[in-house]
Structure formats: structure tokens, C-alpha cells
Amino acid sequence: MSIEIANESGMDVAEPDLVSVARFAIGKMDVHPAAELSMVLVDLDTMADLHMRWMDLPGPTDVMSFPMDELEPGGRPDGAEPGPSMLGDIVLCPEFAAAQATKAGHSLDHELALLTVHGVLHLLGYDHAEPEEEKVMFGLQNRLLAEWYESLREAARRAEQAERDRRLLGKTGFTAPGDPLDPA
């Protein structure tokens, strides 16, 4: 999966986290692993211009999605095997997101992760214009975000355990066969 980020916002953000959460959400939605995604982070003026040009709404917003190919998660059972495709573009405005994060009482990193998942879902055809659509999309968004955070916690637990094992094995002088420190 190819995910490209261009940060034109002037703000320092955790770009690897945005790639990670986008990759996680795309994978969980059963999109072909060779799919491509572009993410652009922009300033308030650029986002306001895009918002007016594409949505005919004044002022900036937090996230906009521009789908490229018509995709359905999991594909159709009677359709051909899905192949790689360009999902589209997600445009994020970190400055706008920072104000939302402050208002919501959480970090900018969390807000940008949430908006990234939101943008991915829009690229996959989800919407929230109607109450039932909103319920489905926001439920899925919250579930994906919670699962991503759990995957990060699990990876950290495994890394901590591996480090404890390495220290313990180093103190005992034990080396496993094939270990570079094995004298055999």
C-alpha cells in the first residue's frame, strides 16, 4: 500500500502516525493492499479555498476527501477480483483540527488520526448526511480508531517484552542457537 503525505500546512504533525492509522483503516476495510492514497496537509486559507470551490461553503473545514476510483469495501461477491487502485486524496487542515481538539479536550494527534479515518471512510463511499448514515459511519470510525490504538498498545507490549527478554538472556549468558552471540 502506498500512502504519500505532503505537509504544506506549516505545522509540525506526526506524519508517521497519519500513515499508520490510514494504512490500518484501509486494511481493516478490506481494500486491496496495493491501493494508493495521497494525503495533503494545508493551511486555513488553502482549506477555505478548497471548501468554497468544491462544497460551495465558506470558511475552512477540518478534512475533505476526493475519491478517485469507485470502490466498495470487500468488493462485490459476483465481481472480478479487485486490483490496485488510487483511492483518492485526503486533505487535512491541522490548524483547524487543533482548535477542534482543544474544544474536545484531546490532543491534536488524536484529532488528526480521527480525521484521517473519517477521510478514508469518505473515500470508500461512506457519508453522514442522513441520521442513519451518520450512525453507521461514526460507529465504524470510532471502532477503527479504537482498534488502531489497541494495535499500538499491543505492539508496545510486545516490544517491551522483547526488551525484557533480551536483558534477561544477556544477564544469564544464555544465547539461543543461531544468535549472533552464540559461540557455536
Side-chain angles (χ1 to χ4, degrees), residues 124-139:
L124 296 175
Y126 289 87
D127 203 355
H128 48 86
E130 300 297 325
E132 188 56 34
E133 292 175 331
E134 180 177 340
K135 183 179 173 185
V136 169
M137 183 175 177
F138 282 51

Side-chain angles (χ1 to χ4, degrees), residues 53-93:
R53 186 178 324 162
W54 293 100
M55 303 296 291
D56 202 25
L57 295 170
T61 189
D62 49 8
V63 60
M64 293 182 72
S65 297
F66 299 93
M68 296 296 274
D69 294 336
E70 293 289 327
L71 296 177
E72 294 180 22
R76 292 175 39 119
D78 61 344
E81 186 67 27
S85 61
M86 177 63 178
L87 293 178
D89 301 312
I90 295 174
V91 181
L92 297 167
C93 185

Side-chain angles (χ1 to χ4, degrees), residues 113-126:
L114 182 146
L115 294 173
T116 298
V117 172
H118 188 87
V120 166
L121 291 176
H122 272 307
L123 291 178
L124 296 175
Y126 289 87

Side-chain angles (χ1 to χ4, degrees), residues 19-102:
V19 170
S20 173
V21 73
R23 180 171 278 120
F24 182 87
I26 290 166
K28 284 290 189 173
M29 295 304 295
D30 200 24
V31 174
H32 193 281
E36 298 176 13
L37 171 66
S38 171
M39 298 177 69
V40 182
L41 285 64
V42 298
D43 61 25
L44 288 170
D45 290 338
T46 303
M47 185 59 101
D49 180 57
L50 290 170
H51 202 210
M52 180 56 92
R53 186 178 324 162
W54 293 100
M55 303 296 291
D56 202 25
L57 295 170
T61 189
D62 49 8
V63 60
M64 293 182 72
S65 297
F66 299 93
M68 296 296 274
D69 294 336
E70 293 289 327
L71 296 177
E72 294 180 22
R76 292 175 39 119
D78 61 344
E81 186 67 27
S85 61
M86 177 63 178
L87 293 178
D89 301 312
I90 295 174
V91 181
L92 297 167
C93 185
E95 190 174 347
F96 194 93
Q100 286 183 162
T102 299

